[in-house]
Amino acid sequence: MCGIFGTIGKRDNALSLVVEGLKKLEYRGYDSWGVTADVDGELFIDKHVGKISTVGTSRFEGIKSNMAVGHSRWATHGGVTDINAHPHFSHDRKVAVVHNGIIENYHEIREELGRDKFISETDTEVIPQLISHYLKTMEFKEAVLEATRRLKGRYAIVALHVGDHQLIAARRGSPLIVGVGNGEYFLASDIPAFLEYTQDVMYLNDNEMVVVNDHVEFINIETGELVEKRLINIDWKAESAEKGEYDHYMLKEIMEQKDTIHRAINQDSEEIMEIVKAIQAARGCFFSGCGTAGKVCMVGEYFFSIVADRHVNYAPASEFPIYHHFLKPESLLVVVSQSGETADVLEAMEVAKKKGTKVLSLINVGSSTIARQSDYSLLINAGPEKAVASTKAATSQMALLLLIAYAVNGELQEGRRVLAEVAGKINDMLNPRFLNYIKSVAEAIQKHENAYIIGKAQNYPIALEAAIKIQEVSYVHAEGFAAGELKHGPIALVTEGTPCISLIANDEVKDDILNNTIELKARGAHIIGIAPEKHEVFDDWIKVPDVGVASPLVNIIPIQLLAYYISICRGLDPDMPRNLAKSVTVK
Ligand code: M6R
């Protein structure tokens, strides 16, 4: 949530560099943007409502500075206005700050410093004001240190002080990474922002501050002591974070599923077996995640039951803390997260750790906080996922959970064989004819305000995931149900022509869900069947391969494409849906 990017170094076009870097982080928040720099000893600030992607490359041409900071916002405190956009600055316009997170005690600090000094409705504005207050008696570095010690809540900040040739950043709970280039440094919420300049990074941990000028100095905020850091090389290519030949990241990432399943299952057998041992030894195994990752956990619950004969408990990460009553040192918490930065998941981990419970994470961003704070962590290796709607990460997460379920059952090789076959079939599915057919189905659905999706067994969570996909990118009101639950209430919603999607697999529940589909049809529903075989109840049939227990991995693909094409038909931007951000770093 919110993208931060700053740079200091050899180039004098830092403002333009910041704008281009922020464009690569726009998926983190896109309701307003802003940049700041020290230009000839004055604080230059430009901030506006709207998307950073609309800012032309020439906007800052001729404004020379080799140190600048910018921000792309997802509003929390204060509406979407130019004044509330970041950077925020002190009343004397000497200190500017960009911030990602929430300052819980901003009210108290604002009262203390004097309300009349403040011009925005944000929590962030207290930070530059506080730094400015301490600057009366201290140097910049000490002032930022003192200010951060006063802040309660979660934050990643970058501060700039006019006349001081250094950027100072600090974090607690929100991501911030230092990119180390040749004679230049970058501070960013995520790696793609600086990938074209460097693949070398240093991680800032919680409660640490970094002072960046012609070198970097890491400091523990609580003790004030220096912290040693290692330089780490990230093996992501800049091109993998670009759209390439596609109009949208979402479509690019859907198409990448031709390869990503292979990468997910290509795990080191020893590492998998270490995790298997932890799962087998656990007395009480919990799965947790948010949104799509949460639905993946639910699919995992079914995989573990069907393949490994093992019971696991799922709870959305935002609900997980209440389960602390059941946590023990012998329990295991398995968290799933694409970004590895989701605040609710981090809180679930905190709760677990307090009880001595070990944490295993399945993550896409290896450098993320969740990956680094887990006892065991497996990377899904899907490559950068930038569209707000999670697609390739979800199928990779499901593949890895299924592989682990097989391994827990002593059948790792069989799991690999099954999943390699699934990957091949997904490759065959994603052909132009298939895409065109789905587009035609999407054209019909997009005219409706409501759509319902039903699934059973491991396809029940896919019905819930389908609803998220359609809601978030097309704004059609979509809801997913367990097929058997329809007759207990939801079927009252169905009227003549209501689009209803039925997710079917060749499994033991096939006849049951077909009966539920027939019940929908009898109430006038327009049935879109996603199934390996045709059935007379379908008005539209989207054929998917028969892959046995792995059916969620193939049934989700047409749903992702439907959501994408409905969004396009409605003239929307599927990559940047309203009110959302890719990485949700606030509770
Ligand atoms: O980065 P995470 O996997 O932890 O993110 C979790 C959710 O915020 C995410 O899956 C969200 O629901 C997506 N927008 C769904 O497409």
Side-chain angles (χ1 to χ4, degrees), residues 59-71:
R59 186 178 181 102
F60 299 112
E61 234 171 50
I63 307 180
K64 303 258 180 272
S65 179
N66 55 13
M67 171 176 88
V69 179
H71 187 268

Side-chain angles (χ1 to χ4, degrees), residues 284-438:
C285 188
F286 296 83
F287 284 180
S288 196
C290 297
T292 293
K295 305 304 170 281
V296 166
C297 290
M298 287 177 78
V299 173
E301 230 183 343
Y302 284 96
F303 284 163
F304 268 59
S305 163
I306 298 167
V307 175
D309 218 358
R310 224 183 156 85
H311 173 73
V312 294
N313 304 278
Y314 161 71
S318 56
E319 293 291 321
F320 185 79
I322 199 70
Y323 287 87
H324 71 90
H325 302 286
F326 305 112
L327 296 174
K328 301 186 183 61
E330 316 82 78
S331 321
L332 179 71
L333 171 62
V334 179
V335 295
V336 177
S337 172
Q338 187 285 129
S339 62
E341 299 293 348
T342 302
D344 289 324
V345 178
L346 280 163
E347 198 190 11
M349 289 170 66
E350 242 168 68
V351 168
K353 287 188 162 210
K354 274 196 192 130
K355 290 291 187 108
T357 298
K358 292 252 185 314
V359 179
L360 157 65
S361 60
L362 306 190
I363 302 290
N364 193 30
V365 183
S367 52
S368 61
T369 313
I370 295 178
R372 285 181 288 132
Q373 291 185 359
S374 304
D375 298 286
Y376 316 89
S377 190
L378 279 181
L379 290 185
I380 59 166
N381 297 319
E385 188 183 72
K386 296 187 84 178
V388 164
S390 184
T391 54
K392 61 175 179 172
T395 45
S396 293
Q397 290 158 349
M398 285 193 265
L400 196 45
L401 281 176
L402 183 55
L403 186 71
I404 296 172
Y406 271 104
V408 168
N409 205 40
E411 296 179 299
L412 176 60
Q413 287 322 319
E414 173 63 3
R416 283 201 210 280
R417 189 198 61 73
V418 167
L419 283 156
E421 205 174 303
V422 172
K425 289 188 171 161
I426 289 178
N427 185 22
D428 298 342
M429 270 170 100
L430 286 168
N431 63 62
R433 243 181 73 211
F434 186 73
L435 266 62
N436 277 336
Y437 180 59
I438 296 200

